[in-house]
Structure formats: structure tokens, C-alpha cells
Amino acid sequence: MKVAVPVKDETLQFFGNAGHTPFFAVYTVKGAGMFRAFELEGLRANPRTDLDHDHDHEDEHHQCSHDDNDEAHAKAHLVMGEALEDCDFIVVGRACKNTAAAMAEYGVHIRKYNGDPAKAEAVLRSVSAQLA
């Protein structure tokens, strides 16, 4: 099983807004229960080309300047689904309806993380029971 976690950079610091993350850390999940292990496969850049803001400081209340029914914006999210189509899950702090639709189209299931900002592996351990 593979799980994608939105991260800021090589530090693997969780980035809550999945649609606007700079990178996805992709992990292979091995074992089960308390013996579950997470092996980092690598980082994948977010392939969206319509992002035009600074990712250095994630804004918890960020609102895009697009209409919720903006077809071009919805299609921009599809590239994320395509980039993660080999993943079974993505763990998010939040995801807009376009991100959710893109992931669903590519068979990637969304799991929510509500904890404090943490490194990707700590986030995975926190949601581990939901990855089934």
C-alpha cells in the first residue's frame, strides 16, 4: 500500500492544504497493526502549474481567488490525482472539493489528520488505523 502526505520540503514537515502543497512525500506501508512500518519512497513535486503564491508560510485560512465552479481550476487539480494515482491514500489537513474530486477520480482515498503540525511519519502513525 502507498500513502501520500503533503509536505513543505525535504524536511518532511506536514503541509495541511493538500491542493497547495509544494511536495508530496510518498510512503510504502509495510506490516500491520503495531508492526506497521512506513518506508519513504521519495518526494514528488506538486504538478499543479496554476499555483502563484508563496509556500513559505502556509496560511490556515487561505482562500483561492477562484470561483468554486471554475472549470479550469477543477481541471488543474486533476494533475495531482494523476501524479498520485499509484497511491491508495492521501493524508490531508484540508482539501477543497476539487482536490477531493481529483483524488476520487484516480482512486486515491482521503484520510484526515487533525493533529498538530508534525513530520510526515508522525502524521502517518497518527492516522495508521485509518489506512485500511
Side-chain angles (χ1 to χ4, degrees), residues 48-100:
R48 285 186 57 194
T49 58
D50 63 324
L51 299 175
D52 61 357
H53 55 275
D54 181 14
H55 289 292
D56 286 342
H57 303 288
E58 181 182 8
D59 180 2
E60 288 296 318
H61 304 289
H62 171 76
Q63 294 294 321
C64 291
S65 59
H66 62 82
D67 183 301
D68 278 343
N69 296 316
D70 181 350
E71 187 176 335
H73 179 78
K75 286 182 178 179
H77 283 74
L78 289 175
V79 298
M80 289 190 328
E82 184 177 354
L84 299 175
E85 70 180 327
D86 64 327
C87 294
D88 301 288
F89 298 97
I90 182 171
V91 178
V92 304
R94 66 188 176 285
C96 72
K97 71 176 188 173
N98 294 319
T99 298

Side-chain angles (χ1 to χ4, degrees), residues 1-35:
M1 164 183 3
K2 286 189 184 180
V3 181
V5 179
V7 295
K8 181 178 177 181
D9 53 27
E10 298 82 12
T11 65
L12 303 178
Q13 184 66 37
F14 182 68
F15 195 93
N17 188 339
H20 291 261
T21 189
F23 298 94
F24 296 99
V26 176
Y27 288 83
T28 300
V29 181
K30 297 180 178 183
M34 63 187 255
F35 300 105

Side-chain angles (χ1 to χ4, degrees), residues 95-110:
C96 72
K97 71 176 188 173
N98 294 319
T99 298
M103 294 302 144
E105 183 161 326
Y106 284 93
V108 181
H109 303 281
I110 294 177

Side-chain angles (χ1 to χ4, degrees), residues 112-132:
K112 183 98 165 116
Y113 173 71
N114 292 317
D116 293 327
K119 300 281 184 173
E121 191 165 331
V123 170
L124 285 172
R125 292 200 183 290
S126 176
V127 301
S128 180
Q130 299 177 48
L131 304 176

